Amino acid sequence: MGPTPGVSDCARPPRVVPPVAACRGKGAAGQGAEAMSSTASGPDCCGGLGNINYRKADLCIMTWLLQYTNPLDPSVVAAVLTIAFNPFFWNVVARWEHRTRKLSSAFRSPHLACYSLGGVILLLNGLRSHCFTQAMLSQPKMEGLDNPTTYCLGLALLSVGSVFVLSSFFALGFTGTFLGDYFGILKEARVTTFPFSIVDNPMYWGSTANYLGWALMHASPTGLLLTAVVALVYVVAILYEEPFTAEIYRQKPARSHRRR
């Protein structure tokens, strides 16, 4: 669904008289009546921000963005499904492996099993990025975003996100990145080097920044909406993963003691 011809109520805010103009040119006798009138009719010139309904403003933003996106378009549906599926897949498989050790037994090595799962995750992430791009290309651009400044901002976000993702990978290693702790491949200590020294879960937020930058570079409202889906899915994944991973490392001293 492309941009709707004309301007909707959400896209065109009501005309508000500037505070200076509203308060200017009133005589002493008229100011009291004006103050009573403005108080009864709506926001006055000095305290009107408290009367703004921000819920309606947020709804207007979403409605405005959806003018540029057909959520039932097959490419958009495919992008949403791949975004939601990937963290679900790797969490379900990793927890199943932690509980049963089936993959480690099948590959006769926890390291080889972890490498195999990591390869599948990389393929799925490539598919997700492809679907994300195809969804953007299938929907209209926003003229207000199609300019050099926005493109450069998107490029900067893409660069920062890539630094976060790559530096996280080098700090964790392959098995640390791809759920090696679920396979019994545990780190000796918590990683605190860059980028973990400045933000938690830098791999996830770096990936989100990559998608946001990619959307801005394409001047794509659809890309912005899909980036919001990426961020939401990652928040859910973090809430699901962190307690389980913490429990794995909490049990590590007890297991080491039993082996002795």
Side-chain angles (χ1 to χ4, degrees):
M1 177 172 61
T4 303
V7 182
S8 68
D9 292 336
C10 291
R12 181 175 59 194
R15 183 175 180 272
V16 178
V17 179
V20 175
C23 297
R24 185 184 299 159
K26 301 291 189 298
Q31 287 181 357
E34 180 65 25
M36 293 176 62
S37 175
S38 62
T39 301
S41 61
D44 58 28
C45 66
C46 303
L49 290 178
N51 296 321
I52 296 175
N53 190 329
Y54 290 100
R55 291 183 179 180
K56 290 184 178 180
D58 293 340
L59 182 60
C60 287
I61 292 173
M62 293 300 296
T63 303
W64 176 56
L65 286 175
L66 286 172
Q67 291 179 359
Y68 294 85
T69 303
N70 178 8
L72 299 180
D73 185 278
S75 61
V76 176
V77 173
V80 172
L81 290 177
T82 54
I83 290 169
F85 175 76
N86 286 11
F88 173 80
F89 167 80
W90 70 59
N91 273 288
V92 168
V93 172
R95 289 200 179 201
W96 173 72
E97 163 63 17
H98 179 74
R99 187 176 67 255
T100 66
R101 300 301 184 201
K102 293 290 187 180
L103 288 177
S104 295
S105 299
F107 287 95
R108 298 184 178 181
S109 165
H111 285 81
L112 187 55
C114 182
Y115 296 149
S116 300
L117 177 61
V120 174
I121 292 173
L122 286 173
L123 291 175
L124 288 174
N125 286 345
L127 177 62
R128 177 182 62 183
S129 297
H130 172 75
C131 292
F132 187 100
T133 302
Q134 291 303 308
M136 288 195 304
L137 296 178
S138 71
Q139 304 296 308
K141 291 185 176 183
M142 182 185 293
E143 291 184 4
L145 296 177
D146 197 7
N147 57 72
T149 301
T150 303
Y151 184 89
C152 291
L153 175 61
L155 186 61
L157 284 169
L158 186 63
S159 301
V160 171
S162 298
V163 168
F164 272 39
V165 170
L166 292 175
S167 58
S168 299
F169 178 81
F170 289 127
L172 293 172
F174 192 95
T175 56
T177 300
F178 294 104
L179 305 163
D181 35 24
Y182 290 72
F183 292 79
I185 309 169
L186 304 181
K187 291 285 185 183
E188 291 298 325
R190 183 182 180 88
V191 177
T192 56
T193 56
F194 179 84
F196 295 90
S197 57
I198 61 174
V199 65
D200 291 332
N201 305 292
M203 181 84 65
Y204 284 165
W205 300 127
S207 178
T208 303
N210 284 344
Y211 284 116
L212 178 58
W214 195 234
L216 291 175
M217 291 172 68
H218 285 78
S220 173
T222 300
L224 297 178
L225 290 171
L226 291 175
T227 300
V229 177
V230 170
L232 177 62
V233 168
Y234 278 154
V235 167
V236 174
I238 290 169
L239 294 175
Y240 188 70
E241 292 171 3
E242 285 193 338
F244 194 82
T245 304
E247 179 63 18
I248 291 175
Y249 280 91
R250 189 188 67 81
Q251 296 175 359
K252 178 184 176 183
R255 292 180 179 178
S256 300
H257 180 74
R258 284 199 298 268
R259 289 175 183 173
R260 293 175 186 175

